[in-house]
Amino acid sequence: MKSYNSIYYLLFVLLIVGAFASMAQNSYGLTLLGAVALSFGLLFLYQFFQTFKDSEGKDYSLQAELISLFLISILFALRMYHVYIPFSELLFAIAGFVLIFVYVKKMLQRYGILASKNINAARLSLVYHLSLILFIISLITAPLLPQLYAYFGILAFILLVGFLIAGLLVPKYQ
């Protein structure tokens, strides 16, 4: 996973450039956002296939996470290019629920590991994962329950800001 960090960095920079270009109503903004979403999707799919090369123990939660991220990225790319496929909202919701399940599992595992070493780091990890889970819930509920998604997004953002402030102000989380 760490070997892909430079590609992730480049794609995030392109995502930000595309978002600002789109906000400035430049014609290439949405095209760039679609290309970035498609690139993320293909990268997640490639990583998914790389997990089958490991002859040791299979990490099914990693495979579920990667295939869900692939589906969400591809659906975002299709949306950027104004391509609609039937039941795309259902696919999006299923992929989102799988991601929620995976991240709840990771949250509980990391909290258990960190709680014995440093309870403050464990709590900080809990806040981070809860923020991530609430963002995913916000994404899932946007097409299905449009009156609720903003509340989940706001709560997730508040938790994320709290996570960042706590991480910057209290340096003793090792």
Side-chain angles (χ1 to χ4, degrees):
M1 199 74 131
K2 292 185 191 244
S3 63
Y4 301 107
N5 282 348
S6 57
I7 297 171
Y8 283 135
Y9 179 75
L10 173 66
L11 289 176
F12 276 116
V13 169
L14 288 174
L15 182 74
I16 292 168
V17 168
F20 279 114
S22 178
M23 286 187 286
Q25 297 181 354
N26 290 326
S27 60
Y28 65 89
L30 287 179
T31 305
L32 186 58
L33 287 174
V36 168
L38 183 64
S39 300
F40 268 117
L42 294 175
L43 183 60
F44 292 137
L45 185 64
Y46 178 75
Q47 288 178 317
F48 172 73
F49 287 125
Q50 288 293 317
T51 61
F52 290 106
K53 285 188 176 182
D54 293 337
S55 59
E56 301 166 5
K58 297 266 191 255
D59 188 3
Y60 295 112
S61 64
L62 175 62
Q63 290 175 341
E65 179 183 11
L66 289 172
I67 203 69
S68 296
L69 289 171
F70 162 73
L71 276 173
I72 289 173
S73 298
I74 294 300
L75 289 172
F76 274 138
L78 290 174
R79 184 61 55 103
M80 289 296 140
Y81 294 124
H82 305 289
V83 176
Y84 178 78
I85 59 172
F87 304 109
S88 61
E89 290 87 5
L90 182 63
L91 283 173
F92 192 85
I94 291 170
F97 282 123
V98 169
L99 279 178
I100 289 170
F101 175 74
V102 168
Y103 291 140
V104 165
K105 180 182 172 193
K106 283 185 179 185
M107 177 180 66
L108 295 175
Q109 286 175 342
R110 288 186 181 148
Y111 183 81
I113 292 169
L114 290 172
S116 63
K117 298 176 184 174
N118 186 341
I119 193 66
N120 289 331
R123 289 179 184 147
L124 194 64
S125 172
L126 190 69
V127 169
Y128 168 74
H129 282 93
L130 283 175
S131 173
L132 186 61
I133 289 166
L134 285 173
F135 270 125
I136 295 169
I137 291 171
S138 176
L139 285 173
I140 292 171
T141 57
L144 304 174
L145 299 167
Q147 65 274 16
L148 289 179
Y149 81 95
Y151 298 113
F152 289 115
I154 291 168
L155 185 58
F157 185 73
I158 290 170
L159 286 174
L160 183 63
V161 169
F163 166 77
L164 291 173
I165 290 172
L168 292 173
L169 293 181
V170 184
K172 298 284 182 184
Y173 284 115
Q174 289 99 351

